[in-house]
């Protein structure tokens, strides 16, 4: 079977070192390796106790039994959270065949047992790989999705489960990495909003014996991998803001996949006062990302704004709106 344990990288070798930042203002993101048997909310609660952290959150829940990459924006970087919500994610999962549960994972009550037999490696790989591409997926009835403002898991726990309509999710790649029946280990890269529990249940049905998700590790989220994720126990040893700083990926580096433009003093003054920005203000005008966004940096490589391209009053006129602005003293 594949080893499900991640490793922690020395922070001095991480991308978090690409942009320097004052030790008294830990604005950026923490990439945390969430331990098993802890909620994502509990991880956030512990991060709030770290020196200099006044505000934090996370950008994508992991179930309590799951481990792996949890992106936690800190202080002013919480304003960047929306840029991480729709990024691709990678997981390593173990599907246990022959047993179905009401939650579709190892935490639920067993609802059915079926024999696992006559399953060749070829048949298993073929079934798993058939889920690549755009697929229709029904969200689990035990999930945080809401119905009439109430999480679905509350309806399910009260014996009145609500099933949401199937929705399209994208499986960029999926491959079997180990077989030790009844367990199958596989790696998957998928769009945000994909439920690996549902994927396991669907693969089990395709193989005719059912199954459930028994282990899960998120190995990557929005380009940040498990190798650079900090163990929570290591973070909790931090005593000062200066000690925490090496673990922080500064805001400019946190959204490094977004095209950048280094502003001169004139443009910085314009941003400082919230004046409109036109295409002529950016010379040469950089390419934008899929959302039409650009990160604006100052000469110290600090993030001062994220702007978004929009069409002006004239179809031929392009200008920008502000997504967020950051001021430095």
């Amino acid at each position: 079977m594949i080893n499900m344990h991640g490793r922690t990288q020395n922070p001095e070798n991480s991308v978090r070192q690409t942009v320097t930042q004052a030790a008294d203002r830990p604005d950026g993101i923490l990439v945390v390796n969430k331990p098993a048997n802890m909620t994502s909310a509990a991880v956030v609660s512990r991060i709030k106790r770290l020196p200099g952290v006044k505000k934090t959150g996370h950008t994508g829940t992991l179930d309590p039994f799951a481990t792996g990459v949890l992106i936690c924006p800190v202080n002013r970087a919480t304003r960047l959270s929306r840029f991480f919500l729709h990024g691709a994610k990678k997981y390593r999962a173990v599907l246990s065949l022959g047993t179905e549960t009401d939650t579709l994972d190892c935490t639920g009550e067993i609802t059915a047992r079926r024999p696992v037999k006559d399953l060749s490696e070829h048949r298993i790989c073929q079934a798993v790989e058939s889920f690549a591409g755009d697929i229709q997926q029904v969200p689990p009835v035990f999930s945080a999705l809401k119905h009439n403002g109430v999480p679905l898991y509350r309806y399910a726990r009260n014996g009145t489960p609500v099933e949401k309509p199937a929705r399209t999710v994208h499986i960029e790649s999926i491959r079997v990495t180990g077989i030790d029946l009844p367990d199958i280990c596989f790696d998957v890269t998928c769009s945000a909003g994909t439920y690996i529990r549902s994927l396991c249940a669907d693969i089990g049905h395709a193989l005719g014996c059912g199954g459930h998700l028994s282990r899960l590790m998120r190995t990557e989220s929005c380009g940040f991998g498990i190798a650079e994720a900090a163990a929570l126990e290591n973070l909790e040893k931090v005593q000062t803001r200066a000690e925490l700083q090496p673990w922080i990926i500064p805001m400019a580096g946190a959204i490094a996949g977004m095209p950048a433009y280094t502003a001169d003093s004139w443009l910085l003054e314009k941003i400082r006062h919230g004046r409109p920005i036109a295409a002529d203000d950016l010379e040469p005008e950089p390419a934008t990302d899929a959302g039409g966004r650009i990160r604006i940096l100052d000469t110290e490589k600090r993030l001062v704004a994220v702007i978004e391209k929009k069409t002006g009053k004239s179809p031929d006129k392009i200008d920008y709106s502000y997504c967020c602005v950051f001021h430095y003293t």
Side-chain angles (χ1 to χ4, degrees):
M1 296 297 294
I2 301 297
N3 183 2
M4 296 288 289
H5 297 288
R7 61 185 176 87
T8 300
Q9 182 179 349
N10 187 324
E12 293 183 355
N13 298 326
S14 172
V15 68
R16 58 177 57 87
Q17 292 297 312
T18 60
V19 183
T20 59
Q21 192 174 31
D24 61 347
R25 183 182 290 280
D27 296 320
I29 66 169
L30 284 169
V31 181
V32 181
N33 186 354
K34 188 190 87 66
N37 303 317
M38 179 181 293
T39 65
S40 299
V43 173
V44 168
S45 178
R46 294 196 182 188
I47 290 175
K48 284 181 179 178
R49 303 172 193 169
L50 298 178
V53 176
K54 302 301 181 183
K55 186 177 182 181
T56 188
H58 65 76
T59 64
T61 301
L62 276 171
D63 289 328
F65 74 93
T67 64
V69 175
L70 190 69
I71 296 177
C72 298
V74 171
N75 295 333
R76 293 193 295 177
T78 54
R79 298 171 61 192
L80 302 177
S81 295
R82 61 176 169 143
F83 303 126
F84 298 99
L85 296 178
H86 305 294
K89 295 175 174 61
K90 295 183 180 181
Y91 296 92
R92 177 160 294 171
V94 175
L95 160 60
S96 294
L97 296 174
T99 305
E100 297 179 334
T101 70
D102 56 358
T103 61
L104 312 183
D105 62 33
C106 57
T107 67
E109 299 292 330
I110 295 175
T111 58
R113 293 185 188 273
R114 296 185 179 86
V116 179
K117 59 182 180 180
D118 301 326
L119 291 177
S120 66
E121 179 178 342
H122 174 73
R123 183 182 173 191
I124 290 171
C125 291
Q126 188 177 48
V128 170
E129 292 168 6
S130 70
F131 285 85
D134 289 337
I135 63 171
Q136 293 295 304
Q137 186 177 82
V138 176
V141 294
F142 283 89
S143 71
L145 287 179
K146 293 185 178 180
H147 177 72
N148 294 331
V150 179
L152 295 187
Y153 63 79
R154 291 189 182 177
Y155 290 100
R157 289 173 181 171
N158 290 332
T160 56
V162 175
E163 186 173 287
K164 288 286 190 178
R167 56 186 184 176
T168 301
V169 297
H170 182 70
I171 307 298
E172 182 177 329
S173 65
I174 183 169
R175 67 182 182 91
V176 174
T177 58
I179 299 174
D180 184 14
L181 292 178
D183 292 339
I184 299 169
C185 186
F186 65 91
D187 288 346
V188 57
T189 302
C190 56
S191 62
T194 302
Y195 285 93
I196 308 302
R197 289 181 284 155
S198 296
L199 182 61
C200 284
D202 291 342
I203 293 172
H205 284 304
L207 290 169
C209 57
H212 69 277
L213 173 65
S214 58
R215 297 176 74 184
L216 182 67
M217 179 172 69
R218 184 188 286 160
T219 57
E220 187 175 307
S221 179
C222 300
F224 295 102
I226 192 68
E228 61 187 312
L232 188 60
E233 60 183 18
N234 289 338
L235 289 175
E236 291 184 316
K237 295 175 183 177
V238 168
Q239 299 293 319
T240 66
R241 296 183 184 186
E243 290 177 359
L244 177 63
Q245 195 62 47
W247 294 106
I248 298 285
I249 300 176
M251 293 188 291
I255 53 174
M258 189 182 297
Y261 183 86
T262 300
D264 57 21
S265 58
W266 180 84
L267 180 56
L268 289 175
E269 189 66 16
K270 198 169 189 179
I271 292 172
R272 183 187 302 275
H273 294 285
R275 296 170 186 156
I277 298 177
D280 292 343
D281 295 326
L282 309 178
E283 292 291 345
E285 185 182 8
T288 56
D289 70 0
R293 294 178 292 262
I294 299 172
R295 57 193 170 113
I296 305 295
L297 311 180
D298 63 14
T299 54
E300 296 180 49
K301 302 302 181 184
R302 298 177 301 187
L303 182 69
V304 295
V306 175
I307 59 175
E308 188 174 53
K309 183 179 287 188
K310 65 177 183 178
T311 303
K313 296 180 180 179
S314 169
D316 298 327
K317 179 178 173 56
I318 301 296
D319 56 10
Y320 293 88
S321 59
Y322 290 101
C323 296
C324 48
V325 177
F326 302 95
H327 299 291
Y328 300 89
T329 56

